[in-house]
PDB file of all heavy atoms in Angstrom:
ATOM      1  N   GLN R  41     107.083  67.180  76.886  1.00 91.00           N
ATOM      2  CA  GLN R  41     108.256  66.791  76.113  1.00 91.00           C
ATOM      3  C   GLN R  41     109.073  68.017  75.708  1.00 91.00           C
ATOM      4  O   GLN R  41     110.275  68.112  75.995  1.00 91.00           O
ATOM      5  CB  GLN R  41     107.789  66.038  74.858  1.00 91.00           C
ATOM      6  CG  GLN R  41     108.911  65.576  73.945  1.00 91.00           C
ATOM      7  CD  GLN R  41     109.774  64.545  74.647  1.00 91.00           C
ATOM      8  OE1 GLN R  41     109.258  63.656  75.309  1.00 91.00           O
ATOM      9  NE2 GLN R  41     111.078  64.691  74.527  1.00 91.00           N
ATOM     10  N   LEU R  42     108.395  68.939  75.053  1.00 92.00           N
ATOM     11  CA  LEU R  42     109.082  70.131  74.559  1.00 92.00           C
ATOM     12  C   LEU R  42     109.657  70.940  75.710  1.00 92.00           C
ATOM     13  O   LEU R  42     110.776  71.461  75.622  1.00 92.00           O
ATOM     14  CB  LEU R  42     108.115  70.984  73.729  1.00 92.00           C
ATOM     15  CG  LEU R  42     108.731  72.149  72.973  1.00 92.00           C
ATOM     16  CD1 LEU R  42     109.953  71.711  72.182  1.00 92.00           C
ATOM     17  CD2 LEU R  42     107.713  72.789  72.057  1.00 92.00           C
ATOM     18  N   ALA R  43     108.891  71.014  76.787  1.00 92.00           N
ATOM     19  CA  ALA R  43     109.365  71.770  77.945  1.00 92.00           C
ATOM     20  C   ALA R  43     110.681  71.181  78.461  1.00 92.00           C
ATOM     21  O   ALA R  43     111.632  71.910  78.747  1.00 92.00           O
ATOM     22  CB  ALA R  43     108.315  71.757  79.049  1.00 92.00           C
ATOM     23  N   SER R  44     110.738  69.879  78.540  1.00 91.00           N
ATOM     24  CA  SER R  44     111.960  69.265  79.060  1.00 91.00           C
ATOM     25  C   SER R  44     113.088  69.419  78.045  1.00 91.00           C
ATOM     26  O   SER R  44     114.236  69.640  78.406  1.00 91.00           O
ATOM     27  CB  SER R  44     111.706  67.802  79.408  1.00 91.00           C
ATOM     28  OG  SER R  44     112.191  66.950  78.404  1.00 91.00           O
ATOM     29  N   ASP R  45     112.767  69.310  76.756  1.00 91.00           N
ATOM     30  CA  ASP R  45     113.795  69.478  75.724  1.00 91.00           C
ATOM     31  C   ASP R  45     114.442  70.857  75.808  1.00 91.00           C
ATOM     32  O   ASP R  45     115.645  70.995  75.638  1.00 91.00           O
ATOM     33  CB  ASP R  45     113.182  69.303  74.328  1.00 91.00           C
ATOM     34  CG  ASP R  45     112.893  67.836  74.015  1.00 91.00           C
ATOM     35  OD1 ASP R  45     113.140  66.985  74.893  1.00 91.00           O
ATOM     36  OD2 ASP R  45     112.419  67.544  72.905  1.00 91.00           O
ATOM     37  N   LEU R  46     113.606  71.864  76.039  1.00 91.00           N
ATOM     38  CA  LEU R  46     114.115  73.235  76.051  1.00 91.00           C
ATOM     39  C   LEU R  46     114.512  73.669  77.464  1.00 91.00           C
ATOM     40  O   LEU R  46     114.924  74.796  77.669  1.00 91.00           O
ATOM     41  CB  LEU R  46     113.054  74.191  75.505  1.00 91.00           C
ATOM     42  CG  LEU R  46     112.573  73.929  74.071  1.00 91.00           C
ATOM     43  CD1 LEU R  46     111.403  74.842  73.736  1.00 91.00           C
ATOM     44  CD2 LEU R  46     113.719  74.160  73.096  1.00 91.00           C
ATOM     45  N   SER R  47     114.373  72.767  78.405  1.00 91.00           N
ATOM     46  CA  SER R  47     114.564  73.086  79.821  1.00 91.00           C
ATOM     47  C   SER R  47     113.826  74.375  80.174  1.00 91.00           C
ATOM     48  O   SER R  47     114.417  75.362  80.599  1.00 91.00           O
ATOM     49  CB  SER R  47     116.037  73.185  80.211  1.00 91.00           C
ATOM     50  OG  SER R  47     116.884  73.298  79.124  1.00 91.00           O
ATOM     51  N   VAL R  48     112.552  74.281  79.946  1.00 92.00           N
ATOM     52  CA  VAL R  48     111.648  75.401  80.182  1.00 92.00           C
ATOM     53  C   VAL R  48     110.430  74.828  80.896  1.00 92.00           C
ATOM     54  O   VAL R  48     110.192  73.628  80.866  1.00 92.00           O
ATOM     55  CB  VAL R  48     111.250  76.006  78.815  1.00 92.00           C
ATOM     56  CG1 VAL R  48     109.872  76.617  78.862  1.00 92.00           C
ATOM     57  CG2 VAL R  48     112.271  77.037  78.369  1.00 92.00           C
ATOM     58  N   ASN R  49     109.694  75.675  81.556  1.00 93.00           N
ATOM     59  CA  ASN R  49     108.536  75.183  82.293  1.00 93.00           C
ATOM     60  C   ASN R  49     107.403  74.746  81.361  1.00 93.00           C
ATOM     61  O   ASN R  49     107.189  75.322  80.300  1.00 93.00           O
ATOM     62  CB  ASN R  49     108.040  76.263  83.242  1.00 93.00           C
ATOM     63  CG  ASN R  49     107.009  75.722  84.201  1.00 93.00           C
ATOM     64  OD1 ASN R  49     105.866  75.532  83.834  1.00 93.00           O
ATOM     65  ND2 ASN R  49     107.433  75.438  85.417  1.00 93.00           N
ATOM     66  N   MET R  50     106.693  73.719  81.798  1.00 93.00           N
ATOM     67  CA  MET R  50     105.546  73.198  81.072  1.00 93.00           C
ATOM     68  C   MET R  50     104.568  74.308  80.683  1.00 93.00           C
ATOM     69  O   MET R  50     104.112  74.381  79.545  1.00 93.00           O
ATOM     70  CB  MET R  50     104.808  72.244  82.012  1.00 93.00           C
ATOM     71  CG  MET R  50     104.131  71.083  81.402  1.00 93.00           C
ATOM     72  SD  MET R  50     103.180  70.235  82.685  1.00 93.00           S
ATOM     73  CE  MET R  50     101.959  71.486  83.070  1.00 93.00           C
ATOM     74  N   HIS R  51     104.248  75.168  81.642  1.00 92.00           N
ATOM     75  CA  HIS R  51     103.229  76.186  81.412  1.00 92.00           C
ATOM     76  C   HIS R  51     103.639  77.170  80.331  1.00 92.00           C
ATOM     77  O   HIS R  51     102.794  77.715  79.624  1.00 92.00           O
ATOM     78  CB  HIS R  51     102.937  76.927  82.707  1.00 92.00           C
ATOM     79  CG  HIS R  51     102.355  76.063  83.758  1.00 92.00           C
ATOM     80  ND1 HIS R  51     103.035  75.744  84.903  1.00 92.00           N
ATOM     81  CD2 HIS R  51     101.192  75.413  83.832  1.00 92.00           C
ATOM     82  CE1 HIS R  51     102.292  74.950  85.657  1.00 92.00           C
ATOM     83  NE2 HIS R  51     101.161  74.722  85.024  1.00 92.00           N
ATOM     84  N   THR R  52     104.924  77.408  80.241  1.00 93.00           N
ATOM     85  CA  THR R  52     105.412  78.332  79.229  1.00 93.00           C
ATOM     86  C   THR R  52     105.126  77.770  77.841  1.00 93.00           C
ATOM     87  O   THR R  52     104.648  78.477  76.947  1.00 93.00           O
ATOM     88  CB  THR R  52     106.915  78.558  79.405  1.00 93.00           C
ATOM     89  OG1 THR R  52     107.165  78.967  80.739  1.00 93.00           O
ATOM     90  CG2 THR R  52     107.419  79.614  78.448  1.00 93.00           C
TER      91      THR R  52
END
Side-chain angles (χ1 to χ4, degrees):
Chain R
Q41 180 65 43
L42 189 49
S44 101
D45 285 2
L46 301 173
S47 16
V48 150
N49 190 283
M50 213 187 66
H51 296 112
T52 306

